[in-house]
Amino acid sequence: MADQEQKAIQLIAEAESKLKSAKGLFSSLFGGGSSKQEEACELYVRAANAFKMAKKWPQAGKAFEEAAHLQLAMGSKHEGATYYVDAGNCYRKGDPNAAVSAIHKAIEIYTDMGRFNIAAKHHITVAEIYESELVDTEKSMQNYEQAADYYKGEESNSSANKCLLKVAQFSAILEKYEKAIEIYEQVATSCMDNSLLKYSAKDHFFRASICHMCMDTENAVLAVKKYEEMFPAFGDSRECKLVKKLLETIKEENVDQFTSALQEYDSISRLDPFITNLLLKVKKQLNSEPELC
């Protein structure tokens, strides 16, 4: 590992030397600057890979960024963006903020080139960094939303919906229930028109129903009726029956029946943590018990 690090340091020194010579009068007069930049770029990439082998991630990221700068200076936007992404992947090993910065540089290049599908893909990477490493739900949501917009513009509706569902989930976590409901309904409606995705529509209507319950139980009753009319398969589902039963227990202010209904459902189909947390909020409105049984 130490050998690889020393090799990388030597390669960086060689690259810097090439760039200094490229600025000389002789190179400028006889057109040698461009070839020197190409050689320096190759050396930076080799150095970055050597740093990677030595697990020196910040140094590897910096070397890739230097390669990106040179590629852009030589007019190669695609290569420049690629190296910024490589830099971001290295920085992610220890400096998530630097990773976000590098990947955003790549995104700017891809959007300028009209490569919106690729830009969307990297917005998802940034969203994941904010979600898991930097724990910034708002910024994660913004990047998922931007990715969805780009996918929509490219008619990649399935990919857009996956991003929108993340936005809906985060919106609900942040108690922005109206936005979450709007997205769940939108995605559910689009799934109804697709024979392969039709079955998943009931899950989206279920989540929208739970969000309604977090806001207002009377509106939740009306929403469930609307969803049944829109998509009869939802009305026949266990999810819909659970929501109706929970709404009855809320109306009766019966916490025990609320808990029993959840236990009965959960014994057959496990509720995911996101739904469980939303239902915990509903239960707390009904009673001050600290957790679902």
Side-chain angles (χ1 to χ4, degrees):
M1 295 298 182
D3 290 343
Q4 289 297 330
E5 184 178 3
Q6 286 303 314
K7 177 182 175 182
I9 291 170
Q10 180 59 40
L11 289 166
I12 293 291
E14 290 178 30
E16 291 173 347
S17 178
K18 293 280 185 186
L19 290 175
K20 284 180 182 178
S21 65
K23 294 177 182 177
L25 178 60
F26 185 83
S27 292
S28 299
L29 289 173
F30 295 96
S34 179
S35 64
K36 295 289 186 182
Q37 284 183 317
E38 289 176 4
E39 291 170 10
C41 183
E42 183 181 344
L43 288 166
Y44 277 123
V45 173
R46 288 173 59 196
N49 288 325
F51 277 132
K52 284 173 68 176
M53 292 177 69
K55 299 189 185 303
K56 298 295 181 180
W57 303 111
Q59 294 92 325
K62 178 63 176 172
F64 275 129
E65 282 204 277
E66 292 295 342
H69 295 158
L70 287 173
Q71 287 293 346
L72 293 177
M74 292 185 290
S76 180
K77 290 185 177 182
H78 180 76
E79 289 295 326
T82 299
Y83 289 138
Y84 275 130
V85 172
D86 289 337
N89 290 335
C90 292
Y91 286 137
R92 192 172 180 180
K93 303 289 185 180
D95 189 347
N97 282 304
V100 167
S101 177
I103 296 170
H104 266 304
K105 290 175 184 175
I107 290 170
E108 288 175 10
I109 296 168
Y110 284 127
T111 53
D112 187 55
M113 295 171 66
R115 305 290 296 276
F116 295 107
N117 272 323
I118 299 177
K121 173 187 171 184
H122 293 306
H123 266 297
I124 292 172
T125 299
V126 172
E128 289 170 348
I129 293 172
Y130 278 122
E131 180 180 0
S132 59
E133 286 134 83
L134 295 173
V135 195
D136 189 326
T137 303
E138 284 279 6
K139 287 185 178 178
S140 181
M141 185 167 65
Q142 289 167 10
N143 278 276
Y144 277 122
E145 200 159 14
Q146 184 63 73
D149 286 344
Y150 285 155
Y151 278 133
K152 278 184 185 177
E154 297 296 295
E155 298 297 326
S156 298
N157 294 323
S158 178
S159 296
N161 283 344
K162 287 179 183 178
C163 295
L164 285 173
L165 289 173
K166 292 292 291 187
V167 176
Q169 180 175 323
F170 286 141
S171 296
I173 290 170
L174 296 172
E175 298 186 356
K176 298 179 179 180
Y177 299 117
E178 290 182 356
K179 182 171 184 175
I181 291 165
E182 181 183 352
I183 293 172
Y184 283 131
E185 289 181 352
Q186 174 188 333
V187 175
T189 302
S190 69
C191 289
M192 286 166 51
D193 299 327
N194 187 315
S195 59
L196 296 175
L197 300 174
K198 201 169 184 178
Y199 182 77
S200 63
K202 70 179 180 62
D203 181 62
H204 305 319
F205 282 132
F206 175 53
R207 290 168 186 262
S209 300
I210 300 299
C211 288
H212 271 293
M213 288 173 63
C214 290
M215 292 176 62
D216 186 319
T217 53
E218 290 185 9
N219 282 337
V221 172
L222 297 175
V224 171
K225 288 181 180 178
K226 181 180 76 172
Y227 300 154
E228 286 183 282
E229 292 173 1
M230 290 173 61
F231 190 52
F234 174 67
D236 296 332
S237 69
R238 293 186 67 246
E239 289 82 1
C240 183
K241 292 173 183 176
L242 172 64
V243 171
K244 286 182 174 180
K245 193 174 291 186
L246 292 177
L247 287 169
E248 287 176 10
T249 64
I250 292 169
K251 185 177 181 180
E252 297 168 1
E253 298 183 355
N254 192 325
V255 179
D256 291 338
Q257 286 299 315
F258 186 97
T259 301
S260 178
L262 289 178
Q263 288 177 331
E264 182 182 345
Y265 180 92
D266 200 54
S267 66
I268 299 172
S269 302
R270 295 291 295 178
L271 290 165
D272 68 39
F274 167 66
I275 293 294
T276 300
N277 286 333
L278 290 185
L279 290 171
L280 174 59
K281 292 179 181 180
V282 175
K283 184 178 179 182
K284 282 181 176 178
Q285 293 170 7
L286 183 62
N287 188 290
S288 60
E289 291 181 18
E291 58 184 288
L292 287 170
C293 298

